[in-house]
DNA sequence: AATTTTCATGAATCTTCATTCAAGAATGCG
DNA sequence: CGCATTCTTGAATGAAGATTCATGAAAATT
């Protein structure tokens, strides 16, 4: 960035604090938009789909060329760095809540045996799995196939999806 | 391990080669058992469930206390290290094939619109998502809830799961 | 404009860590 | 047992990288 060490240390103190600030900003900027889409769609199901489409689009376009900064940091540092652990847990929680609220909006369509909260956690899991797989440089077709499968439980009652 | 640098360098040459050897061994030892369970079960669906149960049991028991070495290495190094990228892609492929073969055994029960290959990739994605979430130290109940939801597409036609 | 405060510079320092190597111990083999 | 080979030791080397600091430039304030 053309900055000298002294300026950076003057502004942020040390490398770790700088990183935490970058991570917070990343989650604000990049992740907020995805999460906001969940509630913005006309139905919960469409909101969830929109989240995953936004995620896959980022992966395919190269916007997420190095994967998700949050997930990367979490995988590398979470067991030694409480701040990273906490930030990322909060992020997971936000995402889980957004998914759960979406599912509760469509509750009438959900398979009966599962609670929205389990479903929401499951969707968080799928999102993180996609962040892992993003590092294999998957194409749009593969990602859409995965998301289609992941969405099946949410669309299970639509006749054209279940024989 | 009580070894001195010289001995390690004598045996493995350098840190990277040592790590690659450790990673290969890990995937042989730890991952093989999980994958083998998929084909060993009486039905494909039970095989898949058995894989995920093995995974969650590892997470809960502390056997996978630091997450999956393969996934960790992949997340941290894949974009700069072709060997890690290749090893892990091969691992994903093996897992995908095992899942696909399991799904093809139960094909009659699958939702009609999706190909087993997409389904298999989806299951690989869920497994990786679980490896990410393992770093939040989730309890057995949460993990089982996630796996139950993830398995729904595979059990979609069983009356007690879909209203 | 003069002065004070804030910010930028980049070379120097200090740490960490991967790697090497000369010397010594252990092991195998005739 | 004696020689050769292999393995182990742990301090030294060297490189990469995190951090500091004295100096100078810019901005703000009077």
């Amino acid at each position: 960035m053309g900055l000298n060490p002294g300026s950076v240390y003057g502004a942020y103190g040390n490398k770790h604090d700088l990183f935490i600030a970058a991570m917070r900003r990343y989650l604000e900027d990049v992740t907020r938009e995805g999460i906001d889409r969940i509630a913005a769609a006309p139905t919960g199901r469409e909101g969830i789909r929109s989240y995953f489409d936004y995620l896959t689009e980022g992966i395919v376009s190269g916007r997420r060329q190095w994967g998700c900064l949050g997930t990367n940091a979490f995988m590398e540092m979470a067991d030694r760095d409480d701040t990273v652990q906490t930030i990322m847990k909060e992020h997971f929680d936000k995402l889980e809540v957004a998914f759960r609220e979406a599912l509760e909006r469509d509750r009438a369509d959900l398979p009966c045996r599962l609670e929205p909260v389990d479903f929401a956690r499951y969707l968080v899991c799928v999102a993180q799995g996609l962040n892992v797989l993003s590092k294999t440089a998957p194409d749009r077709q593969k990602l859409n196939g995965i998301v289609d499968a992941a969405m099946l439980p949410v669309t299970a009652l639509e006749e054209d999806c279940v024989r």
Side-chain angles (χ1 to χ4, degrees), chain A residues 96 99-104 106-107 110-123 153-154:
Chain A
E96 182 185 314
F99 281 142
R100 184 165 49 71
E101 287 172 355
L103 291 164
E104 281 164 351
D106 291 358
R107 189 155 199 169
L110 293 183
C112 60
R113 283 286 191 87
L114 288 178
E115 292 298 318
V117 62
D118 288 317
F119 239 81
R121 285 196 195 115
Y122 151 77
L123 292 170
V154 182

Side-chain angles (χ1 to χ4, degrees), chain A residues 62-103:
Chain A
R63 184 158 38 82
R64 284 173 176 262
Q65 194 164 3
W66 290 283
C68 170
L69 179 68
T71 304
N72 293 353
F74 183 66
M75 291 301 283
E76 183 172 333
M77 306 166 69
D79 40 2
R80 279 163 299 154
D81 190 315
D82 283 346
T83 309
V84 169
Q85 168 85 229
T86 301
I87 291 175
M88 214 47 199
K89 266 191 176 163
E90 283 169 10
H91 169 65
F92 290 149
D93 283 346
K94 273 186 209 157
L95 190 53
E96 182 185 314
V97 168
F99 281 142
R100 184 165 49 71
E101 287 172 355
L103 291 164

Side-chain angles (χ1 to χ4, degrees), chain A:
Chain A
M1 299 175 67
L3 290 175
N4 293 305
S7 305
V8 175
Y9 276 84
Y12 290 95
N14 58 50
K15 195 176 103 157
H16 183 258
D17 287 357
L18 166 61
F19 179 75
I20 294 298
M23 186 174 163
R24 285 213 157 93
R25 169 143 178 194
Y26 173 89
L27 289 176
E28 281 302 313
D29 287 2
V30 178
T31 305
R32 173 88 60 126
E33 181 172 349
I35 292 182
D36 285 348
R37 287 180 175 224
I38 299 173
T43 68
R45 180 186 310 157
E46 285 170 283
I48 293 167
R49 180 81 210 194
S50 177
Y51 175 87
F52 283 112
D53 287 343
Y54 177 70
L55 184 55
T56 58
E57 189 53 36
I59 292 170
V60 171
S61 71
R63 184 158 38 82
R64 284 173 176 262
Q65 194 164 3
W66 290 283
C68 170
L69 179 68
T71 304
N72 293 353
F74 183 66
M75 291 301 283
E76 183 172 333
M77 306 166 69
D79 40 2
R80 279 163 299 154
D81 190 315
D82 283 346
T83 309
V84 169
Q85 168 85 229
T86 301
I87 291 175
M88 214 47 199
K89 266 191 176 163
E90 283 169 10
H91 169 65
F92 290 149
D93 283 346
K94 273 186 209 157
L95 190 53
E96 182 185 314
V97 168
F99 281 142
R100 184 165 49 71
E101 287 172 355
L103 291 164
E104 281 164 351
R105 288 168 68 198
D106 291 358
R107 189 155 199 169
D109 294 337
L110 293 183
C112 60
R113 283 286 191 87
L114 288 178
E115 292 298 318
V117 62
D118 288 317
F119 239 81
R121 285 196 195 115
Y122 151 77
L123 292 170
V124 172
C125 174
V126 172
Q128 294 311 305
L130 287 171
N131 281 327
V132 173
L133 295 188
S134 73
K135 303 235 165 188
T136 65
D139 57 34
R140 183 176 274 108
Q141 192 205 333
K142 280 185 188 174
L143 291 170
N144 280 336
I146 290 171
V147 174
D148 289 342
M151 294 286 292
L152 263 190
V154 182
T155 54
L157 292 189
E158 296 185 5
E159 54 174 324
D160 64 347
C161 276
V162 176
R163 183 170 38 181

